Amino acid sequence: MRLHFSVFIIASVTLLVPDRTHAQMKPWNNAGLSGPPKGPSGPAPRRDLSGIWDAGAGGIQPTGYDVAALFTPLGEKMAKANKPGNGPRIADVSEDNDPLSTVGDPAGFPRILLYELRPFQIVQTANQVLMLYMFEKRWRVIWTDGRELPKDPDPRWYGYSVGRWEDDYTLVVQSFGLDDRTWLDNAGNPHSASMRVEERYHRVDGETLALTVTLEDPLIYTKPWTPLNKLPIRLMPNDTDLMEMVPSASEALAYRKEIASQAKTK
């Protein structure tokens, strides 16, 4: 596994430290939980996802997804143009063209879920669900006021999202208008601007969410596929301060210099 920035490596190690519990949270700069909370969690509150959540090691997918069998001819062509640092089509480090690590582009959506689902906070208002991500320190708005997704939107890094409560414990989110410059994961899997993403956040109990993500992109994939299926996500203490993980342009430049220096030594 090749991780591109030193801060990511530090955070990954911190996430895997054993025997961390709620009582061991530091006052500042926490990277996440290492396992589920101990003790009974209690019932799930009705139509409430608010809190700070962490999928632990389950949210970090450095090798990406092996979906080459699902590519359309266009999808295969786009995938071949991508030279990822990991996954089944891993390229030599000198060829790596991952826009996240080599030029400092945003991870975008849904890559922030599929590759770097670090701890995040959910804040609910009367007409929105706000997703505040530790990775990149990004925020995303899910509108819950009944509006429809735009028909022909100007693509955005994090798209356009609307949500509705399917029942008292399940929020279903539809997203559209996603910038096709982003990759889906660290394996260089592509998508088109026509892709639609469905997220299902099911509140299992007081301490646990289950997240399912399904992608539908007929231009790139021959059928819908589900990269995350009921991924368990744990509630963190409400006074948790999260560390900052911001991939910067200067770090991307340093990474490109490292690529060049490794290429010269071959």
Side-chain angles (χ1 to χ4, degrees), residues 78 82 99 109 155-157 177-184 189-195 217 219-220:
M78 290 180 65
N82 295 339
F109 181 82
R156 305 198 302 202
W157 294 108
L178 300 157
D179 195 309
D180 61 5
R181 287 175 292 177
T182 65
W183 293 1
L184 290 180
N189 287 314
H191 69 88
S192 75
S194 299
M195 179 176 65
D217 190 351
L219 291 177
I220 308 300

PDB file of all heavy atoms in Angstrom, residues 78 82 99 109 155-157 177-184 189-195 217 219-220:
ATOM      1  N   MET A  78     -11.355   5.151 -20.194  1.00  0.00           N
ATOM      2  CA  MET A  78     -11.060   6.134 -19.158  1.00  0.00           C
ATOM      3  C   MET A  78     -10.162   5.531 -18.083  1.00  0.00           C
ATOM      4  O   MET A  78      -9.244   6.177 -17.584  1.00  0.00           O
ATOM      5  CB  MET A  78     -12.355   6.669 -18.552  1.00  0.00           C
ATOM      6  CG  MET A  78     -13.153   7.560 -19.483  1.00  0.00           C
ATOM      7  SD  MET A  78     -14.693   8.166 -18.728  1.00  0.00           S
ATOM      8  CE  MET A  78     -14.041   9.200 -17.402  1.00  0.00           C
ATOM      9  N   ASN A  82      -6.001   6.431 -16.475  1.00  0.00           N
ATOM     10  CA  ASN A  82      -5.680   6.704 -15.073  1.00  0.00           C
ATOM     11  C   ASN A  82      -4.545   5.789 -14.627  1.00  0.00           C
ATOM     12  O   ASN A  82      -4.585   4.578 -14.863  1.00  0.00           O
ATOM     13  CB  ASN A  82      -6.903   6.491 -14.187  1.00  0.00           C
ATOM     14  CG  ASN A  82      -8.020   7.474 -14.480  1.00  0.00           C
ATOM     15  OD1 ASN A  82      -7.777   8.540 -15.056  1.00  0.00           O
ATOM     16  ND2 ASN A  82      -9.242   7.138 -14.098  1.00  0.00           N
ATOM     17  N   PRO A  99      -5.117  12.692  -9.371  1.00  0.00           N
ATOM     18  CA  PRO A  99      -5.250  14.143  -9.202  1.00  0.00           C
ATOM     19  C   PRO A  99      -5.270  14.586  -7.743  1.00  0.00           C
ATOM     20  O   PRO A  99      -4.941  15.734  -7.448  1.00  0.00           O
ATOM     21  CB  PRO A  99      -6.578  14.464  -9.905  1.00  0.00           C
ATOM     22  CG  PRO A  99      -7.328  13.169  -9.919  1.00  0.00           C
ATOM     23  CD  PRO A  99      -6.293  12.096 -10.031  1.00  0.00           C
ATOM     24  N   PHE A 109     -16.674  13.769  -4.398  1.00  0.00           N
ATOM     25  CA  PHE A 109     -17.675  12.792  -3.962  1.00  0.00           C
ATOM     26  C   PHE A 109     -17.994  11.864  -5.129  1.00  0.00           C
ATOM     27  O   PHE A 109     -18.108  12.335  -6.266  1.00  0.00           O
ATOM     28  CB  PHE A 109     -18.949  13.539  -3.525  1.00  0.00           C
ATOM     29  CG  PHE A 109     -20.040  12.636  -3.033  1.00  0.00           C
ATOM     30  CD1 PHE A 109     -20.015  12.174  -1.733  1.00  0.00           C
ATOM     31  CD2 PHE A 109     -21.067  12.243  -3.869  1.00  0.00           C
ATOM     32  CE1 PHE A 109     -21.017  11.321  -1.278  1.00  0.00           C
ATOM     33  CE2 PHE A 109     -22.066  11.407  -3.424  1.00  0.00           C
ATOM     34  CZ  PHE A 109     -22.043  10.940  -2.123  1.00  0.00           C
ATOM     35  N   PRO A 155     -21.503  20.631 -13.205  1.00  0.00           N
ATOM     36  CA  PRO A 155     -20.892  19.653 -12.290  1.00  0.00           C
ATOM     37  C   PRO A 155     -20.084  20.310 -11.175  1.00  0.00           C
ATOM     38  O   PRO A 155     -19.432  21.335 -11.381  1.00  0.00           O
ATOM     39  CB  PRO A 155     -19.995  18.820 -13.216  1.00  0.00           C
ATOM     40  CG  PRO A 155     -20.619  18.947 -14.555  1.00  0.00           C
ATOM     41  CD  PRO A 155     -21.155  20.350 -14.608  1.00  0.00           C
ATOM     42  N   ARG A 156     -20.143  19.694 -10.003  1.00  0.00           N
ATOM     43  CA  ARG A 156     -19.413  20.187  -8.836  1.00  0.00           C
ATOM     44  C   ARG A 156     -18.591  19.049  -8.234  1.00  0.00           C
ATOM     45  O   ARG A 156     -18.938  17.877  -8.364  1.00  0.00           O
ATOM     46  CB  ARG A 156     -20.389  20.753  -7.789  1.00  0.00           C
ATOM     47  CG  ARG A 156     -21.293  21.828  -8.350  1.00  0.00           C
ATOM     48  CD  ARG A 156     -21.953  22.700  -7.301  1.00  0.00           C
ATOM     49  NE  ARG A 156     -22.774  22.015  -6.319  1.00  0.00           N
ATOM     50  CZ  ARG A 156     -23.740  22.618  -5.612  1.00  0.00           C
ATOM     51  NH1 ARG A 156     -24.005  23.909  -5.809  1.00  0.00           N
ATOM     52  NH2 ARG A 156     -24.439  21.948  -4.717  1.00  0.00           N
ATOM     53  N   TRP A 157     -17.509  19.428  -7.548  1.00  0.00           N
ATOM     54  CA  TRP A 157     -16.647  18.417  -6.928  1.00  0.00           C
ATOM     55  C   TRP A 157     -17.443  17.487  -6.004  1.00  0.00           C
ATOM     56  O   TRP A 157     -17.181  16.293  -5.946  1.00  0.00           O
ATOM     57  CB  TRP A 157     -15.535  19.088  -6.123  1.00  0.00           C
ATOM     58  CG  TRP A 157     -14.538  19.875  -6.921  1.00  0.00           C
ATOM     59  CD1 TRP A 157     -14.420  21.239  -6.963  1.00  0.00           C
ATOM     60  CD2 TRP A 157     -13.500  19.377  -7.771  1.00  0.00           C
ATOM     61  NE1 TRP A 157     -13.377  21.616  -7.786  1.00  0.00           N
ATOM     62  CE2 TRP A 157     -12.794  20.491  -8.298  1.00  0.00           C
ATOM     63  CE3 TRP A 157     -13.090  18.095  -8.138  1.00  0.00           C
ATOM     64  CZ2 TRP A 157     -11.706  20.355  -9.160  1.00  0.00           C
ATOM     65  CZ3 TRP A 157     -12.004  17.963  -9.003  1.00  0.00           C
ATOM     66  CH2 TRP A 157     -11.330  19.070  -9.495  1.00  0.00           C
ATOM     67  N   GLY A 177     -24.749  15.310 -10.617  1.00  0.00           N
ATOM     68  CA  GLY A 177     -23.982  16.492 -11.009  1.00  0.00           C
ATOM     69  C   GLY A 177     -22.572  16.481 -10.472  1.00  0.00           C
ATOM     70  O   GLY A 177     -22.081  17.485  -9.959  1.00  0.00           O
ATOM     71  N   LEU A 178     -21.874  15.330 -10.627  1.00  0.00           N
ATOM     72  CA  LEU A 178     -20.548  15.144 -10.042  1.00  0.00           C
ATOM     73  C   LEU A 178     -19.457  15.346 -11.079  1.00  0.00           C
ATOM     74  O   LEU A 178     -19.533  14.825 -12.196  1.00  0.00           O
ATOM     75  CB  LEU A 178     -20.448  13.738  -9.434  1.00  0.00           C
ATOM     76  CG  LEU A 178     -21.483  13.484  -8.330  1.00  0.00           C
ATOM     77  CD1 LEU A 178     -21.740  12.010  -8.160  1.00  0.00           C
ATOM     78  CD2 LEU A 178     -21.016  14.111  -7.030  1.00  0.00           C
ATOM     79  N   ASP A 179     -18.446  16.085 -10.727  1.00  0.00           N
ATOM     80  CA  ASP A 179     -17.351  16.418 -11.629  1.00  0.00           C
ATOM     81  C   ASP A 179     -16.584  15.158 -12.020  1.00  0.00           C
ATOM     82  O   ASP A 179     -16.087  14.425 -11.152  1.00  0.00           O
ATOM     83  CB  ASP A 179     -16.414  17.415 -10.935  1.00  0.00           C
ATOM     84  CG  ASP A 179     -15.460  18.091 -11.890  1.00  0.00           C
ATOM     85  OD1 ASP A 179     -14.794  17.373 -12.660  1.00  0.00           O
ATOM     86  OD2 ASP A 179     -15.377  19.333 -11.868  1.00  0.00           O
ATOM     87  N   ASP A 180     -16.490  14.884 -13.326  1.00  0.00           N
ATOM     88  CA  ASP A 180     -15.866  13.640 -13.763  1.00  0.00           C
ATOM     89  C   ASP A 180     -14.341  13.683 -13.756  1.00  0.00           C
ATOM     90  O   ASP A 180     -13.684  12.715 -14.162  1.00  0.00           O
ATOM     91  CB  ASP A 180     -16.384  13.221 -15.133  1.00  0.00           C
ATOM     92  CG  ASP A 180     -16.091  14.231 -16.237  1.00  0.00           C
ATOM     93  OD1 ASP A 180     -15.400  15.233 -15.959  1.00  0.00           O
ATOM     94  OD2 ASP A 180     -16.566  14.017 -17.366  1.00  0.00           O
ATOM     95  N   ARG A 181     -13.746  14.770 -13.282  1.00  0.00           N
ATOM     96  CA  ARG A 181     -12.293  14.782 -13.104  1.00  0.00           C
ATOM     97  C   ARG A 181     -11.865  13.956 -11.893  1.00  0.00           C
ATOM     98  O   ARG A 181     -10.693  13.573 -11.775  1.00  0.00           O
ATOM     99  CB  ARG A 181     -11.791  16.224 -12.939  1.00  0.00           C
ATOM    100  CG  ARG A 181     -11.809  17.048 -14.209  1.00  0.00           C
ATOM    101  CD  ARG A 181     -11.419  18.483 -13.935  1.00  0.00           C
ATOM    102  NE  ARG A 181     -12.425  19.187 -13.150  1.00  0.00           N
ATOM    103  CZ  ARG A 181     -12.293  20.445 -12.721  1.00  0.00           C
ATOM    104  NH1 ARG A 181     -11.176  21.117 -12.987  1.00  0.00           N
ATOM    105  NH2 ARG A 181     -13.251  21.015 -12.028  1.00  0.00           N
ATOM    106  N   THR A 182     -12.786  13.710 -10.982  1.00  0.00           N
ATOM    107  CA  THR A 182     -12.443  12.950  -9.786  1.00  0.00           C
ATOM    108  C   THR A 182     -12.475  11.452 -10.061  1.00  0.00           C
ATOM    109  O   THR A 182     -13.179  10.977 -10.947  1.00  0.00           O
ATOM    110  CB  THR A 182     -13.418  13.262  -8.636  1.00  0.00           C
ATOM    111  OG1 THR A 182     -14.730  12.816  -8.985  1.00  0.00           O
ATOM    112  CG2 THR A 182     -13.460  14.745  -8.345  1.00  0.00           C
ATOM    113  N   TRP A 183     -11.688  10.725  -9.282  1.00  0.00           N
ATOM    114  CA  TRP A 183     -11.730   9.264  -9.324  1.00  0.00           C
ATOM    115  C   TRP A 183     -12.687   8.771  -8.241  1.00  0.00           C
ATOM    116  O   TRP A 183     -12.996   9.496  -7.285  1.00  0.00           O
ATOM    117  CB  TRP A 183     -10.347   8.686  -9.055  1.00  0.00           C
ATOM    118  CG  TRP A 183      -9.331   8.957 -10.118  1.00  0.00           C
ATOM    119  CD1 TRP A 183      -9.501   9.677 -11.276  1.00  0.00           C
ATOM    120  CD2 TRP A 183      -7.969   8.514 -10.113  1.00  0.00           C
ATOM    121  NE1 TRP A 183      -8.343   9.704 -11.993  1.00  0.00           N
ATOM    122  CE2 TRP A 183      -7.377   9.007 -11.313  1.00  0.00           C
ATOM    123  CE3 TRP A 183      -7.206   7.763  -9.245  1.00  0.00           C
ATOM    124  CZ2 TRP A 183      -6.045   8.752 -11.631  1.00  0.00           C
ATOM    125  CZ3 TRP A 183      -5.873   7.513  -9.556  1.00  0.00           C
ATOM    126  CH2 TRP A 183      -5.298   7.995 -10.747  1.00  0.00           C
ATOM    127  N   LEU A 184     -13.120   7.527  -8.388  1.00  0.00           N
ATOM    128  CA  LEU A 184     -13.976   6.935  -7.358  1.00  0.00           C
ATOM    129  C   LEU A 184     -13.173   6.459  -6.158  1.00  0.00           C
ATOM    130  O   LEU A 184     -13.703   6.396  -5.044  1.00  0.00           O
ATOM    131  CB  LEU A 184     -14.756   5.751  -7.926  1.00  0.00           C
ATOM    132  CG  LEU A 184     -15.848   6.067  -8.939  1.00  0.00           C
ATOM    133  CD1 LEU A 184     -16.518   4.774  -9.385  1.00  0.00           C
ATOM    134  CD2 LEU A 184     -16.879   7.029  -8.358  1.00  0.00           C
ATOM    135  N   ASN A 189     -10.544   4.094 -10.545  1.00  0.00           N
ATOM    136  CA  ASN A 189     -11.813   3.804 -11.211  1.00  0.00           C
ATOM    137  C   ASN A 189     -12.521   5.112 -11.550  1.00  0.00           C
ATOM    138  O   ASN A 189     -12.698   5.976 -10.691  1.00  0.00           O
ATOM    139  CB  ASN A 189     -12.691   2.918 -10.336  1.00  0.00           C
ATOM    140  CG  ASN A 189     -12.174   1.495 -10.282  1.00  0.00           C
ATOM    141  OD1 ASN A 189     -11.824   0.914 -11.305  1.00  0.00           O
ATOM    142  ND2 ASN A 189     -12.109   0.927  -9.086  1.00  0.00           N
ATOM    143  N   PRO A 190     -12.952   5.267 -12.808  1.00  0.00           N
ATOM    144  CA  PRO A 190     -13.524   6.540 -13.260  1.00  0.00           C
ATOM    145  C   PRO A 190     -15.033   6.597 -13.096  1.00  0.00           C
ATOM    146  O   PRO A 190     -15.684   5.609 -12.719  1.00  0.00           O
ATOM    147  CB  PRO A 190     -13.153   6.546 -14.746  1.00  0.00           C
ATOM    148  CG  PRO A 190     -13.253   5.091 -15.133  1.00  0.00           C
ATOM    149  CD  PRO A 190     -12.781   4.317 -13.920  1.00  0.00           C
ATOM    150  N   HIS A 191     -15.578   7.749 -13.396  1.00  0.00           N
ATOM    151  CA  HIS A 191     -17.032   7.911 -13.491  1.00  0.00           C
ATOM    152  C   HIS A 191     -17.319   9.038 -14.455  1.00  0.00           C
ATOM    153  O   HIS A 191     -16.428   9.834 -14.796  1.00  0.00           O
ATOM    154  CB  HIS A 191     -17.650   8.196 -12.113  1.00  0.00           C
ATOM    155  CG  HIS A 191     -17.301   9.544 -11.553  1.00  0.00           C
ATOM    156  ND1 HIS A 191     -18.030  10.689 -11.822  1.00  0.00           N
ATOM    157  CD2 HIS A 191     -16.285   9.947 -10.740  1.00  0.00           C
ATOM    158  CE1 HIS A 191     -17.490  11.724 -11.206  1.00  0.00           C
ATOM    159  NE2 HIS A 191     -16.423  11.304 -10.544  1.00  0.00           N
ATOM    160  N   SER A 192     -18.550   9.128 -14.909  1.00  0.00           N
ATOM    161  CA  SER A 192     -18.961  10.212 -15.796  1.00  0.00           C
ATOM    162  C   SER A 192     -19.721  11.262 -14.997  1.00  0.00           C
ATOM    163  O   SER A 192     -20.079  11.048 -13.827  1.00  0.00           O
ATOM    164  CB  SER A 192     -19.843   9.673 -16.920  1.00  0.00           C
ATOM    165  OG  SER A 192     -21.149   9.384 -16.437  1.00  0.00           O
ATOM    166  N   ALA A 193     -19.997  12.394 -15.633  1.00  0.00           N
ATOM    167  CA  ALA A 193     -20.791  13.435 -14.981  1.00  0.00           C
ATOM    168  C   ALA A 193     -22.252  13.036 -14.877  1.00  0.00           C
ATOM    169  O   ALA A 193     -23.036  13.717 -14.207  1.00  0.00           O
ATOM    170  CB  ALA A 193     -20.658  14.743 -15.759  1.00  0.00           C
ATOM    171  N   SER A 194     -22.632  11.923 -15.498  1.00  0.00           N
ATOM    172  CA  SER A 194     -24.015  11.436 -15.441  1.00  0.00           C
ATOM    173  C   SER A 194     -24.242  10.445 -14.296  1.00  0.00           C
ATOM    174  O   SER A 194     -25.366   9.958 -14.127  1.00  0.00           O
ATOM    175  CB  SER A 194     -24.387  10.767 -16.773  1.00  0.00           C
ATOM    176  OG  SER A 194     -24.304  11.679 -17.845  1.00  0.00           O
ATOM    177  N   MET A 195     -23.218  10.122 -13.555  1.00  0.00           N
ATOM    178  CA  MET A 195     -23.361   9.143 -12.477  1.00  0.00           C
ATOM    179  C   MET A 195     -24.338   9.629 -11.411  1.00  0.00           C
ATOM    180  O   MET A 195     -24.387  10.811 -11.071  1.00  0.00           O
ATOM    181  CB  MET A 195     -22.007   8.883 -11.814  1.00  0.00           C
ATOM    182  CG  MET A 195     -22.067   7.881 -10.667  1.00  0.00           C
ATOM    183  SD  MET A 195     -20.454   7.496  -9.948  1.00  0.00           S
ATOM    184  CE  MET A 195     -19.997   9.088  -9.260  1.00  0.00           C
ATOM    185  N   ASP A 217     -24.021   4.331 -13.221  1.00  0.00           N
ATOM    186  CA  ASP A 217     -23.373   5.156 -14.242  1.00  0.00           C
ATOM    187  C   ASP A 217     -23.310   4.351 -15.543  1.00  0.00           C
ATOM    188  O   ASP A 217     -22.282   3.750 -15.871  1.00  0.00           O
ATOM    189  CB  ASP A 217     -21.963   5.543 -13.778  1.00  0.00           C
ATOM    190  CG  ASP A 217     -21.318   6.596 -14.653  1.00  0.00           C
ATOM    191  OD1 ASP A 217     -21.884   6.921 -15.713  1.00  0.00           O
ATOM    192  OD2 ASP A 217     -20.244   7.100 -14.283  1.00  0.00           O
ATOM    193  N   LEU A 219     -22.864   5.009 -18.566  1.00  0.00           N
ATOM    194  CA  LEU A 219     -21.818   5.343 -19.525  1.00  0.00           C
ATOM    195  C   LEU A 219     -20.509   4.603 -19.229  1.00  0.00           C
ATOM    196  O   LEU A 219     -19.736   4.308 -20.146  1.00  0.00           O
ATOM    197  CB  LEU A 219     -21.561   6.850 -19.526  1.00  0.00           C
ATOM    198  CG  LEU A 219     -22.668   7.741 -20.092  1.00  0.00           C
ATOM    199  CD1 LEU A 219     -22.286   9.210 -19.943  1.00  0.00           C
ATOM    200  CD2 LEU A 219     -22.943   7.405 -21.552  1.00  0.00           C
ATOM    201  N   ILE A 220     -20.273   4.308 -17.956  1.00  0.00           N
ATOM    202  CA  ILE A 220     -18.984   3.749 -17.536  1.00  0.00           C
ATOM    203  C   ILE A 220     -19.107   2.304 -17.053  1.00  0.00           C
ATOM    204  O   ILE A 220     -18.188   1.505 -17.239  1.00  0.00           O
ATOM    205  CB  ILE A 220     -18.361   4.618 -16.422  1.00  0.00           C
ATOM    206  CG1 ILE A 220     -18.315   6.081 -16.852  1.00  0.00           C
ATOM    207  CG2 ILE A 220     -16.973   4.121 -16.051  1.00  0.00           C
ATOM    208  CD1 ILE A 220     -17.497   6.334 -18.100  1.00  0.00           C
TER     209      ILE A 220
END
